[in-house]
mmCIF file of all heavy atoms in Angstrom:
data_model
loop_
_atom_site.group_PDB
_atom_site.id
_atom_site.type_symbol
_atom_site.label_atom_id
_atom_site.label_comp_id
_atom_site.label_asym_id
_atom_site.label_seq_id
_atom_site.Cartn_x
_atom_site.Cartn_y
_atom_site.Cartn_z
ATOM 1 N N LEU A 73 -33.927 38.894 -58.910
ATOM 2 C CA LEU A 73 -34.445 37.741 -58.169
ATOM 3 C C LEU A 73 -35.757 38.093 -57.469
ATOM 4 O O LEU A 73 -36.717 37.308 -57.505
ATOM 5 C CB LEU A 73 -33.413 37.251 -57.152
ATOM 6 C CG LEU A 73 -32.173 36.562 -57.714
ATOM 7 C CD1 LEU A 73 -31.196 36.220 -56.591
ATOM 8 C CD2 LEU A 73 -32.530 35.320 -58.514
ATOM 9 N N GLN A 74 -35.819 39.247 -56.840
ATOM 10 C CA GLN A 74 -37.033 39.678 -56.154
ATOM 11 C C GLN A 74 -38.191 39.801 -57.136
ATOM 12 O O GLN A 74 -39.314 39.376 -56.837
ATOM 13 C CB GLN A 74 -36.795 41.004 -55.432
ATOM 14 C CG GLN A 74 -35.848 40.875 -54.259
ATOM 15 C CD GLN A 74 -35.360 42.212 -53.714
ATOM 16 O OE1 GLN A 74 -35.456 43.251 -54.378
ATOM 17 N NE2 GLN A 74 -34.822 42.192 -52.500
ATOM 18 N N GLN A 75 -37.934 40.363 -58.305
ATOM 19 C CA GLN A 75 -38.975 40.513 -59.321
ATOM 20 C C GLN A 75 -39.439 39.169 -59.862
ATOM 21 O O GLN A 75 -40.520 39.070 -60.439
ATOM 22 C CB GLN A 75 -38.473 41.388 -60.470
ATOM 23 C CG GLN A 75 -38.270 42.827 -60.083
ATOM 24 C CD GLN A 75 -37.481 43.613 -61.111
ATOM 25 O OE1 GLN A 75 -36.953 43.061 -62.088
ATOM 26 N NE2 GLN A 75 -37.373 44.912 -60.896
ATOM 27 N N ASN A 76 -38.629 38.138 -59.663
ATOM 28 C CA ASN A 76 -38.966 36.797 -60.141
ATOM 29 C C ASN A 76 -39.412 35.867 -59.018
ATOM 30 O O ASN A 76 -39.313 34.651 -59.136
ATOM 31 C CB ASN A 76 -37.792 36.213 -60.920
ATOM 32 C CG ASN A 76 -37.729 36.786 -62.315
ATOM 33 O OD1 ASN A 76 -38.406 36.310 -63.214
ATOM 34 N ND2 ASN A 76 -36.962 37.840 -62.498
ATOM 35 N N GLY A 77 -39.883 36.444 -57.922
ATOM 36 C CA GLY A 77 -40.527 35.670 -56.874
ATOM 37 C C GLY A 77 -39.640 35.111 -55.784
ATOM 38 O O GLY A 77 -40.101 34.341 -54.954
ATOM 39 N N PHE A 78 -38.370 35.489 -55.757
ATOM 40 C CA PHE A 78 -37.471 35.005 -54.723
ATOM 41 C C PHE A 78 -37.397 36.018 -53.585
ATOM 42 O O PHE A 78 -37.367 37.223 -53.823
ATOM 43 C CB PHE A 78 -36.066 34.760 -55.285
ATOM 44 C CG PHE A 78 -36.011 33.630 -56.266
ATOM 45 C CD1 PHE A 78 -36.189 33.862 -57.616
ATOM 46 C CD2 PHE A 78 -35.794 32.332 -55.837
ATOM 47 C CE1 PHE A 78 -36.149 32.828 -58.533
ATOM 48 C CE2 PHE A 78 -35.749 31.282 -56.743
ATOM 49 C CZ PHE A 78 -35.932 31.535 -58.099
ATOM 50 N N ASP A 79 -37.363 35.532 -52.370
ATOM 51 C CA ASP A 79 -37.240 36.386 -51.186
ATOM 52 C C ASP A 79 -35.750 36.654 -50.968
ATOM 53 O O ASP A 79 -35.123 36.085 -50.086
ATOM 54 C CB ASP A 79 -37.864 35.685 -49.983
ATOM 55 C CG ASP A 79 -37.813 36.515 -48.720
ATOM 56 O OD1 ASP A 79 -37.648 37.749 -48.818
ATOM 57 O OD2 ASP A 79 -37.926 35.934 -47.628
ATOM 58 N N ALA A 80 -35.190 37.506 -51.821
ATOM 59 C CA ALA A 80 -33.738 37.720 -51.848
ATOM 60 C C ALA A 80 -33.316 38.913 -51.005
ATOM 61 O O ALA A 80 -33.939 39.964 -51.043
ATOM 62 C CB ALA A 80 -33.277 37.920 -53.287
ATOM 63 N N SER A 81 -32.233 38.711 -50.258
ATOM 64 C CA SER A 81 -31.604 39.806 -49.527
ATOM 65 C C SER A 81 -30.118 39.815 -49.886
ATOM 66 O O SER A 81 -29.575 38.813 -50.345
ATOM 67 C CB SER A 81 -31.783 39.635 -48.020
ATOM 68 O OG SER A 81 -31.133 38.462 -47.580
ATOM 69 N N GLU A 82 -29.485 40.964 -49.684
ATOM 70 C CA GLU A 82 -28.086 41.134 -50.069
ATOM 71 C C GLU A 82 -27.213 41.243 -48.827
ATOM 72 O O GLU A 82 -27.544 41.963 -47.893
ATOM 73 C CB GLU A 82 -27.958 42.397 -50.927
ATOM 74 C CG GLU A 82 -26.616 42.563 -51.585
ATOM 75 C CD GLU A 82 -26.619 43.712 -52.591
ATOM 76 O OE1 GLU A 82 -27.613 44.454 -52.661
ATOM 77 O OE2 GLU A 82 -25.617 43.864 -53.292
ATOM 78 N N GLN A 83 -26.118 40.510 -48.826
ATOM 79 C CA GLN A 83 -25.125 40.553 -47.752
ATOM 80 C C GLN A 83 -23.816 41.011 -48.381
ATOM 81 O O GLN A 83 -23.247 40.315 -49.217
ATOM 82 C CB GLN A 83 -24.965 39.160 -47.133
ATOM 83 C CG GLN A 83 -23.942 39.055 -46.058
ATOM 84 C CD GLN A 83 -24.440 39.630 -44.751
ATOM 85 O OE1 GLN A 83 -25.601 39.513 -44.412
ATOM 86 N NE2 GLN A 83 -23.560 40.263 -44.010
ATOM 87 N N ILE A 84 -23.340 42.184 -47.999
ATOM 88 C CA ILE A 84 -22.114 42.739 -48.577
ATOM 89 C C ILE A 84 -20.896 42.129 -47.887
ATOM 90 O O ILE A 84 -20.861 42.014 -46.668
ATOM 91 C CB ILE A 84 -22.085 44.280 -48.422
ATOM 92 C CG1 ILE A 84 -23.328 44.906 -49.058
ATOM 93 C CG2 ILE A 84 -20.807 44.864 -49.006
ATOM 94 C CD1 ILE A 84 -23.485 44.647 -50.535
#
Side-chain angles (χ1 to χ4, degrees):
L73 289 176
Q74 292 167 343
Q75 291 167 353
N76 282 276
F78 293 91
D79 182 20
S81 63
E82 190 171 8
Q83 178 77 36
I84 304 300

